[in-house]
Each structure stands twice: as C-alpha cells, then as structure tokens.
Amino acid sequence: MGRRILFLGPPGGGKGTQAKMVRRALGVPHVSTGDMLREAMASGSDLGRQAETYVSVGDLVPDELVVALVEERLAREDAAGGYLLDGFPRNLPQAEALAEVLGDEALDTIVYLDVDEEEIIARLLKRAELEGRADDNEETIRHRLEVFHGETEPLIAYYGDRVRRVDGTGSVEDIYCRIALELAS
Ligand code: B4P
C-alpha cells in the first residue's frame, strides 16, 4: 500500500493546487470531493442538483452524499496503491465514516495548509474574477470560513500527531517544496 495522504486547510488554502503537484510526484490518484461535486453539478445528475443548493451558499453537502461518493471512489482499483484526499473528510462525522470503512490506516499523513483569512479572501476573490465559480463571492467566502472554523478545524485535534502543519503562503513552488519535505520525513 502506497501513501494515503489528506490535504486539510481552509477554503482557498491551495489544497487543490498543491494536490495536483503532489499527485504527479507520487503517482497516486487525487480524490477531490470539491471537483467531484462540481462535475456532478455540471452534469445535472441527481447528486449534482442536490449538491448545488449547499455548495452555492457555502454550506457543506450532507455527509451521506459525500461519504457515498468517496467510498465508491476509493473502492476503485487505482486507489488500492494509495491516494491523496483533498477536501474530505471535512468534519468529524466524515472522519469517523472514513475510519469505519478503511480502518485507522486510512490515512498516514495529514498535511495542513496554514493560510490567514485576509490572504484567503484575496485569493478567492481573484479566482471569482478568473473562473467565475458560483461560490466565490464575498458573502459566501465568509460563510465558508465560518463553516471551516466550526466543522473542519476540529479535525486538526482529531488527527493529532499525524498532522504536519505547512505554511501555505508564498509562491506555489515554495509551498510545494515545504510539503515535499514533510512527506519525505
Ligand atoms: P473545494 O473544491 O474543496 O474548494 P476550496 O476549499 O475553495 O479550494 P482549495 O483549498 O482546493 O483551493 P485552491 O487550490 O483551488 O470545495 C468547494 C465546496 O464543495 C465546499 O465549499 C463545499 O460546499 C463542497 N464540499 C467539498 N468537499 C466537501 C465535503 N467533504 N463535505 C461536504 N461538502 C464538501 O486555491 C484557491 C485559489 O487560490 C485558486 O484560485 C489558486 O489559483 C489560488 N492559489 C493557490 N495557491 C496560491 C498561492 N500560493 N499564492 C496565491 N494564490 C494561490
């Protein structure tokens, strides 16, 4: 079994950006619940329609939908040799569900990308201009940050000493080097 890594961090923390770089280096699949939900929304599937009402206002999509999505994805053959989870688990019930399905060995390293709120808001407003993502407006960004503090941040304590805190500010390349060092140690 290869590496089983989780990227944890605030919205706009750069999880997606860095996960794509690490995936290339390690050759494990990048499992992003945000990307999977956006694909479902773009396809207009039942799941997509259900997810849209939550994502568009910055709320988390109900656990049972996301857990089923991830469970199905991790059961595929390409995940047998490890994976890089991005954006899941995002709260304690999701972390407990993952542990129930795959056991305590579901994750070996948790990379926490640390970025302050001012920088996050600036990044996401810039992405709103470039990509026009529906959930990147100032009101929704503030709500996503509240959800992050209330629901996702407690995972840092839950995972304890498996968490490697990485400074998520600076150039994309510098951050990648910091992550690579943590993953090598
Ligand atoms: P996600 O897709 O996970 O979105 P995110 O948290 O905003 O993005 P990320 O941290 O990956 O940032 P990125 O690299 O793109 O989730 C979207 C929504 O889906 C959630 O709000 C929720 O509704 C739903 N959802 C997802 N997972 C769920 C779950 N498990 N349970 C329930 N609901 C779930 O970077 C952000 C921007 O910063 C980019 O524009 C990038 O170019 C820029 N950037 C990155 N690194 C930079 C750097 N070093 N310097 C400057 N800019 C940088």
Side-chain angles (χ1 to χ4, degrees):
M1 169 59 95
R3 299 301 298 265
R4 286 144 289 128
I5 300 164
L6 164 64
F7 271 23
L8 196 61
K15 302 182 294 291
T17 305
Q18 295 295 330
K20 287 181 183 72
M21 296 168 80
V22 172
R23 168 193 54 190
R24 278 195 291 273
L26 296 183
V28 290
H30 169 208
V31 177
S32 158
T33 42
D35 287 349
M36 289 158 91
L37 293 168
R38 278 185 289 280
E39 267 167 37
M41 290 187 287
S43 77
S45 65
D46 266 3
L47 167 68
R49 280 197 299 276
Q50 290 180 68
E52 192 140 26
T53 55
Y54 300 93
V55 174
S56 60
V57 293
D59 278 330
L60 294 184
V61 172
D63 295 337
E64 60 272 22
L65 297 179
V66 184
V67 168
L69 199 63
V70 174
E71 217 178 310
E72 187 274 323
R73 180 64 189 87
L74 294 184
R76 287 195 222 157
E77 209 178 315
D78 65 340
Y83 40 79
L84 175 47
L85 288 180
D86 162 9
F88 177 93
R90 229 176 176 98
N91 59 20
L92 288 170
Q94 291 180 12
E96 285 159 2
L98 181 68
E100 207 168 291
V101 176
L102 295 176
D104 262 352
E105 309 77 47
L107 295 169
D108 61 61
T109 310
I110 291 97
V111 173
Y112 176 72
L113 284 170
D114 201 359
V115 180
D116 69 44
E117 305 222 348
E118 236 171 273
E119 167 82 12
I120 289 167
I121 293 168
R123 282 185 191 179
L124 293 180
L125 289 175
K126 191 166 168 210
R127 184 168 70 186
E129 269 174 41
L130 297 174
E131 294 178 21
R133 237 171 79 168
D135 58 343
D136 283 344
N137 61 75
E138 190 149 2
E139 194 189 334
T140 309
I141 293 167
R142 292 203 185 278
H143 182 58
R144 283 156 68 199
L145 281 166
E146 284 167 14
V147 172
F148 168 73
H149 291 308
E151 301 212 32
T152 309
E153 227 167 23
L155 291 178
I156 300 171
Y158 175 85
Y159 285 120
D161 59 13
R162 276 183 281 174
V163 177
R164 312 287 178 88
R165 195 179 279 264
V166 171
D167 176 3
T169 56
S171 74
V172 168
E173 292 74 21
D174 284 350
I175 299 163
Y176 174 70
C177 287
R178 288 177 205 136
I179 294 171
L181 275 177
E182 288 296 339
L183 292 177
S185 67

